Amino acid sequence: MGDLITGGGINEGNGVYKSTDAGKTWQHLGLDDTRQIPSILVDPRTESCDGGGAGNVHAQSETRGLYRSTDGGKTWTKTLYVDKQTGIQKIAWAPDHPEVVLATTVRHYNAPGAGFRGPNAGGAVESSTAVYNPPTKA
């Protein structure tokens, strides 16, 4: 899992991993092309989890967005997508409505060779979005 680090440092990964034995072994669960997953939520009562993909900072990509798995990470469904340049920064459950996932999006694209322009010159612009994820039926 790659991290989105502010300040220009970028750490890219190759998807989501899961351990069921306290970290002794790990299983790769996909989302490779998201490159960076800065935030993930796992519901301890169910096998559902949500992960936010920021994407490759130097390429426009439709793999950006919020993904949900209801089967322990075997399959993933994109539940929020803004555009090819905007990724998910942070996600959290609404404290008063745990079926609602709150997501902060961020423009996460710099054309190769363009350098970081900063927020006052067209750099990262953040916005908040609420996403309703209905509970899965057992």
Side-chain angles (χ1 to χ4, degrees), residues 33-52:
D33 293 335
T34 59
R35 295 276 185 106
Q36 298 172 31
I37 303 171
S39 193
I40 192 164
L41 299 172
V42 178
D43 188 337
R45 301 164 296 157
T46 68
E47 289 196 356
S48 71
C49 56
D50 298 285

Side-chain angles (χ1 to χ4, degrees), residues 24-67:
K24 292 179 185 172
T25 60
W26 293 89
Q27 177 186 7
H28 185 250
L29 300 177
L31 296 184
D32 301 37
D33 293 335
T34 59
R35 295 276 185 106
Q36 298 172 31
I37 303 171
S39 193
I40 192 164
L41 299 172
V42 178
D43 188 337
R45 301 164 296 157
T46 68
E47 289 196 356
S48 71
C49 56
D50 298 285
N56 179 352
V57 71
H58 297 296
Q60 297 186 46
S61 171
E62 292 187 12
T63 60
R64 302 173 191 279
L66 181 65
Y67 292 83

